[in-house]
Amino acid sequence: GAGVSQSPSNKVTEKGKDVELRCDPISGHTALYWYRQSLGQGLEFLIYFQGNSAPDKSGLPSDRFSAERTGGSVSTLTIQRTQQEDSAVYLCASSSRHRGRNEQFFGPGTRLTVL
Amino acid sequence: QQQVKQSPQSLIVQKGGISIINCAYENTAFDYFPWYQQFPGKGPALLIAIRPDVSEKKEGRFTISFNKSAKQFSLHIMDSQPGDSATYFCAARLNQAGTALIFGKGTTLSVSS
């Protein structure tokens, strides 16, 4: 079946512009995660959605970052007034919450470049 | 206390050799330790995972060794192949199902033929 998809695959923007990154999780997966991967760094947790519960926003680096998940499926990560340090690969993952199933399935990521 | 420390940062191994990547953690509330493999331009993919009640898990050429008392775990790749060349991340999860993973900074493995 289809995996996690993300769009766009690449995004180049100018400093100060807003960007929206999209994630389509695996059908039926109730959990959705956003991570950021900077060059030479591991994956940094940003935000987590689980079903209809309030999202865990503890990883968002500033109030310029926000995310929403509509209808328990598609999610959009928005970065306002982008800065050069926002340049990174933004990865989305989804997982099933069934007992014993912990695997997070990752999308290919969106490479964001802020000029 | 939330960190997972991974070493080495990069590793070069000859074809047929053993690749070993190490990780250490502090938080004893972690209850799930996966390893992810990432090829350039792709998202990470789960390779193998272990829970702290097991000292070793083997899947094919890949083995996780887990030392609960030392709070360390490692990935061993036996008979390393050029196709294993990738970046490997260890990770840990707090003992709440569905919470986010905390990742190490990754190890870039190159297997020379």
Side-chain angles (χ1 to χ4, degrees), chain B residues 38-84:
Chain B
Q38 185 179 31
F39 293 104
K42 304 291 186 182
L46 179 67
L47 187 62
I48 187 172
I50 198 168
R51 293 191 177 276
D53 54 349
V54 177
S55 62
E56 184 176 282
K57 183 173 182 180
K58 183 177 181 179
E59 291 184 0
R61 296 184 294 109
F62 301 92
T63 300
I64 300 179
S65 296
F66 189 86
N67 186 330
K68 189 174 181 178
S69 60
K71 290 186 277 189
Q72 296 175 347
F73 58 110
S74 60
L75 175 69
H76 296 236
I77 306 175
M78 311 300 288
D79 186 26
S80 299
Q81 299 296 312
D84 296 331

Side-chain angles (χ1 to χ4, degrees), chain A residues 1-24:
Chain A
V4 177
S5 61
Q6 293 186 245
S7 61
S9 56
N10 282 283
K11 177 71 176 178
V12 180
T13 190
E14 293 180 347
K15 178 181 174 181
K17 300 285 188 182
D18 297 352
V19 296
E20 287 189 350
L21 312 179
R22 176 187 169 103
C23 172
D24 282 90

Side-chain angles (χ1 to χ4, degrees), chain A residues 33 35 37 45 48 102 104, chain B residues 36 38 51 93 98 100-101:
Chain A
Y33 311 79
Y35 294 88
Q37 184 175 23
F45 165 70
Y48 157 59
N102 301 293
Q104 293 184 19
Chain B
Y36 278 79
Q38 185 179 31
R51 293 191 177 276
R93 189 199 69 184
L101 295 171

Side-chain angles (χ1 to χ4, degrees), chain A residues 12 24 26 36 39 51 62 79 81 101 104 109 112:
Chain A
V12 180
D24 282 90
I26 293 172
R36 176 169 71 176
L39 189 63
S62 78
I79 308 173
R81 306 182 301 282
R101 297 188 181 180
Q104 293 184 19
L112 174 65

